[in-house]
Amino acid sequence: MNLKKLQNGSDIRGVGSEGIEGQPVNLTHRAVYSLACAFVEWLRKKTGKNDLRIGVGRDSRISGPRIQETVCEAMTDLGVHVYETGLSSTPAMFMTTVTKGFLYDGAVMITASHLPFNRNGLKFFTRDGGLEKEDIAALIDLAEKDDFKKGKKGTAEPVDFMSVYAGLLADKIRRATGEERPLLGMKIVVDAGNGAGGFFVEKVLKPLGADTTGSQFLEPDGLFPNHIPNPEDKTAMAAIIDAVKKNGADFGVIFDTDVDRAGAVDSQGHVLNRNRLIAMISAILLEETPGTTIVTDSVTSSGLAKFIKAKGGVHHRFKRGYKNVINESIRLNAAGQDSQLAIETSGHGALKENYFLDDGAYLITKLLIKMAQMRKEGKTLFSLIADLEEPAEAQEFRLRIQNEGFRQYGEKVIAELTEYVKGDARFQVAPDNHEGIRVSLGREDGDGWFLVRLSLHDPIIPVNVESDSAGGVKKITKILYDFLRRYDQLDLHLMKEYIEA
């Protein structure tokens, strides 16, 4: 049994159901059963406890019920007391380990985030947070040994933790605003993308007084018939923009499948995601904690860096990967440098005040608090980022490496590009590169920057290009293309098409 291919960083990811040709199910009963048993044994060693209590939840994927049943079967075979939370968000599953009245020893979330309907996976939590990459590798080693001793049968019972979790969010808004129904008179629509985020309407917004007429795709449907539940997806964002305008809403919210990410839209249809979302939550946190450090991934805009500095904060640009930015923020705090926020442009945002948990619903809760407060002053939420400088153009190219030794080949490309730009006065290399290479160019050479890095897991070199001038991205892309065309194992057709368009 080879389970190593199921590891995706700090998660387990694989194919959970048939439906796409050439993608056979590899999250089989045996694989899931062994991984669940391995988590039990790993957790017993970590906690020193034999009598464990573990929560198990899932998103709306069609393979979720089957996988949940297998996880519960494995854990009860090993004597665990299992608490089935049913349809849940990923952040809520972590919260089962730290919430009074529950305090489970660990939790498992069955999800593959925004991936296609046939995919699924497992996320594991303890009270210290999500497992790290090395922890998942240890689980896989245990699972592949498949040496688990069954004892006295454990128990499994359903619990409604999502109502408790939603109540925590609603109570936070009430405490911060001093009102029982602070959203009264506001129309807020939610697009859950048929994932797990529908609870936010019935259990958070409505009890706080909001009119949620026009909210859509709240029913869980693991085939995702309307659009991919992903705040970065253009079709998904067009759907929430349309819902806001059609219903005359003050605010629109969109969640990904398992609600660890979110995006938003104002009454005019202006999108709040990526750099704008980072700027807005940064502005709120810098009011609460002046001078704090904001950790972001590597593809944030130059304008965002200026915005954070102007607000009195410190911008710390780090690597892609939500665990990378979270762990870097935790490291800074441990070293004595206050960092209240770790956030990726993808929307994964984790706050120090919330266990450094990437939680889309909590992020929206912070925005709603500020929105309610500013409404009393006759101001809008978007006025917080009125002075955010945004690029005139931005483009991403994902260049496929057509070489079996893709990592070594990609590293060679980036190393040689680094030497090349250092020897050319047109280029200014960023002083704080933590992955790949980020280079700025002057007005005559495109008036912007590019970042070239190697994907964390795939044979891909992502290239991000941004410019403050119309036509600048094409100019920068042409300069970069002229260098990269020497590498015959690099698929540059997307760049070439863009330049020639």
Side-chain angles (χ1 to χ4, degrees), residues 187-189 244 249-253 264-266 272 367-368 371 381:
K187 178 173 278 193
I188 302 172
V189 297
V244 166
D250 300 297
F251 198 56
V253 177
V265 175
D266 77 354
L272 182 61
L367 298 185
L368 291 176
M371 187 177 174
L381 194 58

Side-chain angles (χ1 to χ4, degrees), residues 284-300:
I284 292 170
L285 291 172
L286 283 164
E287 285 183 6
E288 298 173 355
T289 312
T292 195
T293 296
I294 309 297
V295 179
T296 73
D297 62 7
S298 57
V299 299
T300 48

Side-chain angles (χ1 to χ4, degrees), residues 39-57:
F39 180 55
V40 172
E41 293 302 321
W42 181 90
L43 192 56
R44 280 175 171 156
K45 184 176 180 180
K46 178 180 174 63
T47 62
K49 295 174 62 175
N50 188 60
D51 191 25
L52 295 176
R53 301 163 71 242
I54 298 177
V56 180

Side-chain angles (χ1 to χ4, degrees), residues 114-131:
H114 62 281
L115 294 183
F117 75 92
N118 67 321
R119 299 280 175 157
N120 217 324
L122 302 167
K123 288 177 178 281
F124 302 94
F125 295 98
T126 71
R127 291 173 193 169
D128 296 328
L131 270 61

Side-chain angles (χ1 to χ4, degrees), residues 209-284:
D211 177 357
T212 60
T213 305
S215 291
Q216 59 191 17
F217 316 141
L218 306 181
E219 307 79 17
D221 185 336
L223 292 175
F224 310 124
N226 296 290
H227 60 69
I228 297 170
N230 182 1
E232 286 193 293
D233 181 72
K234 290 181 180 178
T235 302
M237 293 311 297
I240 185 63
I241 290 169
D242 182 62
V244 166
K245 291 183 175 180
K246 186 186 298 182
N247 294 281
D250 300 297
F251 198 56
V253 177
I254 184 167
F255 293 117
D256 76 340
T257 319
D258 61 328
V259 203
D260 60 1
R261 291 186 297 138
V265 175
D266 77 354
S267 60
Q268 304 303 308
H270 298 132
V271 173
L272 182 61
N273 61 5
R274 299 182 67 80
N275 289 290
R276 290 179 180 178
L277 179 62
I278 298 172
M280 187 167 288
I281 191 64
S282 296
I284 292 170

Side-chain angles (χ1 to χ4, degrees), residues 49-91:
K49 295 174 62 175
N50 188 60
D51 191 25
L52 295 176
R53 301 163 71 242
I54 298 177
V56 180
R58 61 176 176 81
D59 68 16
S60 60
R61 293 171 182 280
I62 58 175
S63 57
R66 173 186 69 83
I67 294 175
Q68 179 172 305
E69 182 179 347
T70 302
V71 170
C72 293
E73 176 192 351
M75 291 183 171
T76 53
D77 280 351
L78 267 59
V80 172
H81 304 294
V82 178
Y83 300 87
E84 299 181 74
T85 61
L87 188 71
S88 305
S89 73
T90 293

Side-chain angles (χ1 to χ4, degrees), residues 332-371:
L332 291 176
N333 280 287
Q337 181 177 346
D338 183 76
S339 176
Q340 293 290 325
L341 175 66
I343 188 166
E344 265 202 313
T345 47
S346 66
H348 281 286
L351 280 70
K352 182 180 179 181
E353 68 184 52
N354 190 42
Y355 306 96
F356 275 116
L357 175 65
D358 51 321
D359 185 345
Y362 191 89
L363 207 61
I364 294 300
T365 294
K366 290 287 287 187
L367 298 185
L368 291 176
I369 289 169
K370 192 63 180 176
M371 187 177 174

